[in-house]
Amino acid sequence: MNTRPSLQNRLLVLTLTAVASIWLLATAMTWFDARHELDEVLDGHLAQAASLLTTHQVHEIIEKGESREPRTLHKYAPKVMYQVFHGGRLGLRSANAPDTPILDDGKELKAGFTSIQIKNREWRVFSTIGVEADVQVYVAEEVQARTAILYAVLRSMILPFIIALPILGLALWFAVRQGMSPITRLGRVLEQRQPAAVNPIEMDGTSKETQTVIQALNGLLERIAGLMESERRFTADAAHELRTPLAALRTQAQVAMAEHDEIKRQRALKNTLEACDRTSRLIEQLLTLSRLENNAEAEFLLFDMSATIRKQLADIAPKAISKNQKMELDMDCHCSINGNEILMSVLIRNLIDNAVRYSPEAAQILIHLSYINSLYILTIEDSGNGLSDQDIARLGERFFRIQSNAESGSGLGWSIAKRIAKAHHMDLQAERSEKLGGLKVTLSIPAPN
């Protein structure tokens, strides 16, 4: 059972919540604004009615000296009432107005708006003084009538919105569903793909945002395809390369078991140990190359490259001495760089070891370090047979070895060195040595800022 929240439902809920919240806020603002404006308009009507009474009715009151009670001419007339007093005597009033003043102001006549309770009902009253100082006019309107008008106005405004809200919800649901359809289609396409399928995803009629996701997925699939191809090739090559030393190891062990001569048995065991060493070195190189190709993170720190060169040279020197080779180290500068000291040790060891391993007896090997144009230049030259241009071009191909060379090896040393140099943004090149006639390897190392 899938309990994960739906992006489509979440988007729909958020959109509807936002729309409903804005609609309620707009309704509340409309309510208060309409109420305020309605009060202003109706208060203005009360003031205007009072003004008419003061200008047109005062002469009639004065002349007749008696109160009149007009007829009710409209059904809403009971909602409004008025009184006109002259000299404290009621001269004119509406049918629903009492005989006594609406406002008990005593002897002092006042002007302005007031809200009062009459028979448990709230009335809005406007009182004013006539042209003559002893004329007092009262015009009142029942507040409930104002509220009824306000409700009538708001009903005409809000009812369409209430009816439209469900329709808007359905429209939003349809719009969100249609908008999310490319993602849904993409999900179905990915769900139907085979685990080993790394071919690009192709979908027509997708949006710009979905196309961006598809491009990112295709880029990821392309990288995965390259990694899978590299792993398949690496596995096949490694299996082929390991088969030879393992077979030799088995053969030497069988010879040692079958040999009765102690000297020959010891020679077979020695060959077995050498085969074990070669196999161990091959496995170590394979593991190093695998970590590098899988982009294993390495910590880069400032370290003394000069000391690393000296240490690796000291470790390999016994092997050079055993071949009567002459090794020279010439460093014109001190070298400290930012990098991974362990990986750089592997790189330097492979370069020097290759020079020693593939150079003949009594060969000369020259290692030189200099500083030129913000670069440390490390060169390793030998007086061996060197390589042809075709073989130099193939350096870096894993498990590529010079067939004419009798030294054991897997051809991985140069591949590992190239990969480490690339990880450190260094340039590693090989060419024929003009000085010694053999191979010259040049490593260009950027100096730290």
Side-chain angles (χ1 to χ4, degrees):
M1 182 178 179
N2 188 6
T3 58
R4 294 183 180 273
S6 169
L7 179 60
Q8 175 178 304
N9 293 340
R10 182 182 180 185
L11 182 60
L12 183 61
V13 169
L14 290 176
T15 306
L16 285 175
T17 302
V19 170
S21 300
I22 295 173
W23 179 82
L24 289 175
L25 179 61
T27 302
M29 294 177 62
T30 303
W31 168 273
F32 289 109
D33 185 64
R35 185 171 184 175
H36 173 74
E37 294 299 326
L38 183 63
D39 286 339
E40 291 288 333
V41 171
L42 295 180
D43 283 349
H45 288 173
L46 289 180
Q48 184 179 15
S51 176
L52 291 174
L53 288 174
T54 58
T55 56
H56 294 285
Q57 301 296 337
V58 65
H59 297 292
E60 184 178 353
I61 296 171
I62 295 173
E63 290 176 0
K64 293 189 176 183
E66 62 181 5
S67 173
R68 296 181 57 192
E69 184 173 319
R71 295 177 293 114
T72 300
L73 300 177
H74 195 272
K75 63 178 181 178
Y76 288 120
K79 304 294 183 180
V80 179
M81 60 181 175
Y82 58 88
Q83 294 174 329
V84 180
F85 287 85
H86 179 243
R89 183 172 60 86
L90 180 63
L92 186 67
R93 71 178 178 86
S94 61
N96 59 338
D99 296 334
T100 58
I102 297 175
L103 293 179
D104 186 11
D105 293 332
K107 297 181 179 180
E108 184 181 358
L109 299 179
K110 297 180 179 180
F113 289 96
T114 308
S115 296
I116 63 172
Q117 293 284 337
I118 300 177
K119 296 181 180 180
N120 296 326
R121 292 185 178 182
E122 186 177 3
W123 290 77
R124 181 72 168 170
V125 181
F126 178 75
S127 61
T128 184
I129 302 173
V131 177
E132 299 179 8
D134 60 347
V135 176
Q136 182 78 13
V137 177
Y138 300 100
V139 180
E141 182 179 20
E142 190 175 353
V143 175
Q144 185 178 359
R146 295 188 173 199
T147 305
I149 297 173
L150 179 62
Y151 279 129
V153 172
L154 291 178
R155 275 198 303 271
S156 63
M157 295 175 58
I158 297 176
L159 186 60
F161 286 102
I162 295 177
I163 296 175
L165 189 60
I167 300 175
L168 178 62
L170 290 175
L172 286 175
W173 173 82
F174 181 77
V176 171
R177 182 180 179 85
Q178 289 298 110
M180 296 292 294
S181 60
I183 297 180
T184 305
R185 287 173 50 207
L186 177 61
R188 288 197 295 264
V189 169
L190 294 176
E191 189 177 27
Q192 294 172 359
R193 289 174 70 89
Q194 297 297 322
V198 291
N199 56 299
I201 301 171
E202 296 181 359
M203 287 181 59
D204 298 327
T206 58
S207 63
K208 180 180 179 180
E209 292 76 11
T210 308
Q211 193 63 36
T212 302
V213 175
I214 293 175
Q215 290 175 357
L217 285 174
N218 286 337
L220 176 62
L221 290 174
E222 183 179 356
R223 294 191 294 272
I224 292 175
L227 182 60
M228 292 175 62
E229 177 61 27
S230 176
E231 290 296 330
R232 281 195 293 265
R233 187 175 66 252
F234 179 79
T235 302
D237 292 344
H240 176 270
E241 194 66 22
L242 283 171
R243 187 179 299 116
T244 300
L246 289 176
L249 183 62
R250 179 182 179 85
T251 300
Q252 293 296 333
Q254 290 175 340
V255 170
M257 291 179 63
E259 188 60 60
H260 298 288
D261 189 339
E262 184 65 23
I263 298 177
K264 294 181 178 179
R265 182 184 298 110
Q266 292 295 327
R267 185 183 302 114
L269 291 175
K270 181 180 179 181
N271 293 335
T272 301
L273 292 176
E274 291 178 354
C276 288
D277 292 338
R278 289 194 298 271
T279 305
S280 177
R281 174 177 170 79
L282 175 61
I283 293 174
E284 179 184 355
Q285 290 181 320
L286 288 173
L287 292 175
T288 302
L289 188 59
S290 177
R291 285 194 296 268
L292 290 172
E293 291 195 342
N294 289 328
N295 295 319
E297 294 186 358
E299 184 179 10
F300 281 40
L301 298 172
L302 186 67
F303 71 97
D304 189 352
M305 182 72 169
S306 304
T308 300
I309 296 174
R310 292 191 183 94
K311 183 178 184 304
Q312 298 305 319
L313 185 61
D315 291 342
I316 300 174
K319 185 174 183 180
I321 294 173
S322 68
K323 298 179 68 174
N324 296 319
Q325 294 174 342
K326 181 181 179 181
M327 299 181 67
E328 296 181 17
L329 175 61
D330 181 17
M331 291 194 292
D332 297 338
C333 60
H334 179 77
C335 179
S336 294
I337 65 170
N338 281 315
N340 184 274
E341 186 174 2
I342 296 177
L343 292 180
M344 289 303 299
S345 298
V346 173
L347 186 152
I348 300 301
R349 183 173 66 248
N350 280 338
L351 295 181
I352 300 176
D353 182 70
N354 283 344
V356 172
R357 181 184 298 273
Y358 298 113
S359 295
E361 298 280 342
Q364 183 180 2
I365 300 173
L366 175 60
I367 302 168
H368 182 259
L369 177 66
S370 60
Y371 181 79
I372 303 174
N373 297 329
S374 301
L375 290 175
Y376 292 107
I377 306 298
L378 175 65
T379 58
I380 302 174
E381 302 180 68
D382 62 67
S383 60
N385 298 326
L387 298 176
S388 65
D389 294 339
Q390 293 80 5
D391 289 339
I392 291 177
R394 293 193 63 188
L395 282 176
E397 295 181 12
R398 293 180 303 182
F399 304 104
F400 168 71
R401 293 184 65 248
I402 307 303
Q403 298 299 325
S404 59
N405 199 303
E407 284 288 334
S408 63
S410 60
L412 289 174
W414 186 262
S415 299
I416 293 174
K418 290 284 286 185
R419 187 65 183 84
I420 295 175
K422 182 179 179 181
H424 286 76
H425 306 288
M426 301 175 182
D427 183 50
L428 182 61
Q429 300 294 335
E431 58 185 342
R432 179 171 289 276
S433 173
E434 296 180 359
K435 184 175 183 180
L436 300 180
L439 186 67
K440 176 182 178 181
V441 176
T442 304
L443 178 65
S444 300
I445 307 170
N449 295 327

